Amino acid sequence: MCNLKKSFTTESGGIIPIQAAKHHEKHRDELLKEALKQTNLKLNDIDFIAYSAGPGLGPCLRAGKEFVEQLKLPFIEVNHCIAHLEVTKIVTKAKDPVLLYTSGANTQIIAYDGGKYRIFGETLDQGVGNFLDSFARYIGLGFPGGPKIGKLAESSNNYIELPYSVKGMDISFTGMLTKLKQLYDSKKYKTEDLAYSLQETSFAMLLEVAERAMAHCNKKELALGGGVACNSRLKEMAKIMTKERNAKCFIPENEFLVDNAAMIALTGYLMYKKGTKPKKSNPKIYPYQRTDQVKVDWD
Ligand code: FE2
């Protein structure tokens, strides 16, 4: 298998969709060339390609779609969020987990039920990754800010109380972000302590909802997916929670947690094996497609 990538990063400031799309356009040909070289294949050896059709930033999805048109190969449209979940299941061999899916734009607690991935809880405002990045940007760290917050948090264990916002099965981060900015501006608190408290509070919220979904669905497996799950403290807290419940915790290598090509390819292949026919023309994008809108008939 070959799983190449080129990621868009900035020194300071956040992600700008048009710039990220330009980055995709600039690198897509060289990545394909390198992938063919590494796998010893030619373009006409390939039966079909899978691409991320949604959800996501319109300009970035369009850069992918245009590449599909340029290649003139049959294609299968893959939902990006579901691909995160499928790759976690394939790599970790989890059978029927509750999935805690945490990325920049998405934060959902999902379980498979009746032909769909159903969302049992989710963020009411922003994804936990964007929340981490927003605070990182506010204090002058670049994009992605999550890993830098994680590094800062490692050097503190001084907890400062922050708004803990779980509403039913949903969570919200905006109140905590406002409070963090106020505390930072007051100059009375160390950045490390704020980073530590931010992680402890937001990750506890995520795991509370994940745990309740496990209890409700009577499931004995928790799986993590999405880039925020690369955070070592989130992994540790997930392991503690599952151990206390006598459940299992499945976490793939970071390579399969962050956005990656293999997850799209493997999900496309799963779909193909279960009867999805590759299309020949008119690839589409679905920037707002929700996880529970996709009929999953390949599991
Ligand atoms: Fe993603």
Side-chain angles (χ1 to χ4, degrees), residues 80 84 101 103 106 226-227 257-259 263:
H80 179 102
H84 272 292
Y101 168 42
S103 69
N106 295 289
L257 285 170
V258 296
D259 287 349
M263 71 184 198

Coordinates of all heavy atoms in Angstrom, one line a residue, residues 80 84 101 103 106 226-227 257-259 263, ligand 1:
H80 N -16.1 11.8 3.3 CA -14.9 12.0 4.1 C -15.0 11.4 5.5 O -14.0 10.8 6.0 CB -14.5 13.5 4.0 CG -13.3 13.8 4.8 ND1 -12.1 14.1 4.1 CD2 -13.1 14.0 6.1 CE1 -11.2 14.4 5.0 NE2 -11.7 14.4 6.2
H84 N -13.0 8.2 7.5 CA -12.2 8.2 8.8 C -12.7 7.0 9.6 O -11.8 6.3 10.2 CB -12.5 9.4 9.6 CG -11.7 10.6 9.3 ND1 -10.3 10.6 9.6 CD2 -11.9 11.8 8.7 CE1 -9.8 11.8 9.2 NE2 -10.8 12.5 8.7
Y101 N -15.4 10.6 16.8 CA -14.7 11.2 15.6 C -14.5 12.6 15.9 O -15.4 13.4 16.0 CB -15.7 10.9 14.4 CG -15.3 11.7 13.2 CD1 -13.9 11.8 12.8 CD2 -16.2 12.4 12.4 CE1 -13.6 12.5 11.7 CE2 -15.9 13.1 11.3 CZ -14.5 13.2 10.9 OH -14.2 13.9 9.8
S103 N -12.2 15.9 14.6 CA -11.3 16.5 13.6 C -11.5 18.0 13.7 O -12.1 18.5 14.6 CB -11.6 16.0 12.2 OG -12.8 16.5 11.8
N106 N -15.2 18.6 12.4 CA -16.3 17.6 12.9 C -16.0 17.1 14.3 O -14.8 16.8 14.6 CB -16.3 16.4 11.9 CG -16.8 16.8 10.6 OD1 -18.0 17.1 10.4 ND2 -15.9 16.8 9.6
G226 N -10.1 10.5 13.3 CA -10.0 12.0 13.1 C -8.7 12.5 13.7 O -8.1 11.9 14.6
G227 N -8.2 13.6 13.2 CA -6.9 14.1 13.5 C -6.6 14.5 14.9 O -5.5 14.3 15.5
L257 N -5.2 8.4 11.4 CA -6.1 9.3 12.1 C -6.3 10.6 11.4 O -7.4 11.2 11.3 CB -5.6 9.6 13.6 CG -5.8 8.4 14.6 CD1 -5.0 8.8 15.8 CD2 -7.2 8.2 14.9
V258 N -5.2 11.2 11.0 CA -5.2 12.5 10.2 C -5.9 12.2 8.9 O -6.0 11.1 8.4 CB -3.8 13.1 10.1 CG1 -3.2 13.4 11.4 CG2 -2.9 12.1 9.3
D259 N -6.2 13.3 8.1 CA -6.7 13.1 6.8 C -5.7 12.3 6.0 O -4.5 12.7 6.0 CB -6.9 14.5 6.1 CG -8.1 15.2 6.7 OD1 -8.9 14.5 7.4 OD2 -8.3 16.3 6.4
M263 N -7.6 6.2 3.6 CA -9.0 6.0 4.1 C -10.0 6.2 3.0 O -11.0 5.5 2.9 CB -9.3 7.0 5.2 CG -9.4 8.5 4.8 SD -9.6 9.5 6.3 CE -10.3 11.0 5.5
Ligands
FE2_1 FE -10.8 14.7 8.1

